[in-house]
Amino acid sequence: MLDALAAPTMAALPAGRPTGTKLEEVDVGRDESGMPWRLSLVGKHTLVAGRSGAGKGSILWGSVASLAPWIAQDTVRVHGVDLKRGVEIAMGDGLMYRTAYRPEQALVVLRDLLTIIDERAARMVGQSRLHEAKPGDPLHLLVIDELAALTAYADAEVKKEGNRLLAEILTQGRAMGVVVVACVQDPKKETVPARGLFTQTIALRLASADEVRMVLGQGMSEEAPAHRIPTDMPGTGYLVTEEGSAARVRAHFWSDELIRATAAHFPTVERWVPPLEESAAAGVHFG
Ligand SMILES: Nc1ncnc2c1ncn2[C@@H]1O[C@H](COP(=O)(O)OP(=O)(O)OP(=O)(O)O)[C@@H](O)[C@H]1O
């Protein structure tokens, strides 16, 4: 039988949206029946696991660049933590509210997001249980590539603090409009200690059935055999939802040119400006 996911598909420049348009699921690829794969990031924390070359970049940009029309109206702010020296995130720098390219800088971003969670919790108590993003009161999307550089390979102190802050954001953030998309190449207990706190997982090509079980849970290596995805089908994977359902999907490919064009067309309206003393101390990048 013909596999609807066999041929790659290219992403396209997202369509503009009138200011104030409610955040929607974004079209990131297609499913096994050839229908659009629409991914929801609101109220969800997403773990993307896949070996080198598995296509994590197309999920990352499918998430971030597809939200560009909302970034351009300050309904979404993206905090891009790229611990592979900024190689990936810098491509779409114009879409970023804020970036961090070193683990120490990432800690500052994570702390500030916790402050946002605290402020929102105080504002929302007794009023609402789920933050609704709108211009000027945005969804904060924390994107981390590569997660292990913060959670496992960093200095002991940074690692400990990074894991603590991340676990707090993962437990408290989603109702407050602070959500995470984290990419990891080598998923194991030490690299993703907070695996159970992610609410949806995309398993791209993995190395073994053991890795699939680690990422998706016991019993999932038959239902979502990510270790059997061929190397010549990057961007293909299994989306496993919070409820445990698995779907085979393939992301659209985002070329460097398209990422740059999207960033040029829908630049962020807000850019984080560090307090003077903080920028000097932490060397935080801001534009
Ligand atoms: N969705 C896709 N459809 C078709 N080809 C893709 C797709 N995603 C990625 N590719 C191809 O696979 C290559 C590797 O993809 P990508 O850089 O996203 O992998 P990765 O998982 O981020 O790897 P690494 O962890 O080493 O950075 C790309 O350069 C591109 O040629």
Side-chain angles (χ1 to χ4, degrees), residues 8 51-58 84 185 234-235 250-253:
R51 285 283 153 185
S52 182
K56 295 183 291 300
S58 53
K84 290 198 284 195
Q185 238 183 45
R250 186 166 189 185
H252 300 308
F253 179 59

Side-chain angles (χ1 to χ4, degrees), residues 15-230:
R17 302 291 198 293
T19 303
T21 305
K22 204 170 174 277
L23 261 182
E24 294 161 10
E25 295 175 326
V26 284
D27 176 1
V28 292
R30 62 211 189 286
D31 66 20
E32 222 170 7
S33 59
M35 296 303 283
W37 168 27
R38 298 177 64 76
L39 184 68
S40 174
L41 298 167
V42 178
K44 300 201 166 106
H45 299 304
T46 311
L47 178 67
V48 184
R51 285 283 153 185
S52 182
K56 295 183 291 300
S58 53
I59 308 283
L60 190 155
W61 293 112
S63 306
V64 172
S66 303
L67 288 171
W70 288 274
I71 292 172
Q73 49 180 274
D74 199 27
T75 301
V76 174
R77 289 185 193 173
V78 183
H79 304 246
V81 170
D82 184 347
L83 303 173
K84 290 198 284 195
R85 300 167 191 266
V87 175
E88 190 72 52
I89 294 281
M91 203 74 67
D93 186 69
L95 296 168
M96 301 291 148
Y97 168 66
R98 183 175 188 178
T99 55
Y101 296 157
R102 293 204 314 267
E104 300 76 18
Q105 297 175 337
L107 293 185
V108 182
V109 173
L110 265 58
R111 273 191 212 107
D112 287 356
L113 283 169
L114 267 176
T115 307
I116 291 169
I117 291 172
D118 286 345
E119 285 167 1
R120 282 195 174 163
R123 189 154 48 97
M124 284 166 60
V125 73
Q127 304 287 325
S128 118
R129 282 193 299 175
L130 187 67
H131 176 267
E132 194 167 321
K134 45 185 170 310
D137 188 15
L139 175 81
H140 289 274
L141 173 61
L142 168 64
V143 177
I144 308 179
D145 185 29
E146 147 77 54
L147 182 65
L150 180 68
T151 55
Y153 312 148
D155 293 347
E157 281 305 302
V158 173
K159 183 167 92 175
K160 192 166 152 218
E161 182 68 352
N163 278 311
R164 187 186 71 76
L165 292 167
L166 184 63
E168 283 204 49
I169 292 172
L170 290 170
T171 14
Q172 300 167 36
R174 60 183 182 148
M176 305 296 157
V178 178
V179 296
V180 181
V181 172
C183 299
V184 67
Q185 238 183 45
D186 180 19
K188 39 185 197 236
K189 268 209 206 78
E190 306 82 69
T191 53
V192 200
R195 188 194 79 73
L197 300 176
F198 285 90
T199 54
Q200 64 184 355
T201 307
I202 300 166
L204 301 172
R205 180 175 49 79
L206 291 171
S208 64
D210 273 350
E211 269 189 17
V212 177
R213 283 189 281 272
M214 156 63 207
V215 172
L216 300 177
Q218 285 300 331
M220 290 303 286
S221 62
E222 285 305 312
E223 204 177 328
H227 57 302
R228 295 201 200 110
I229 295 170

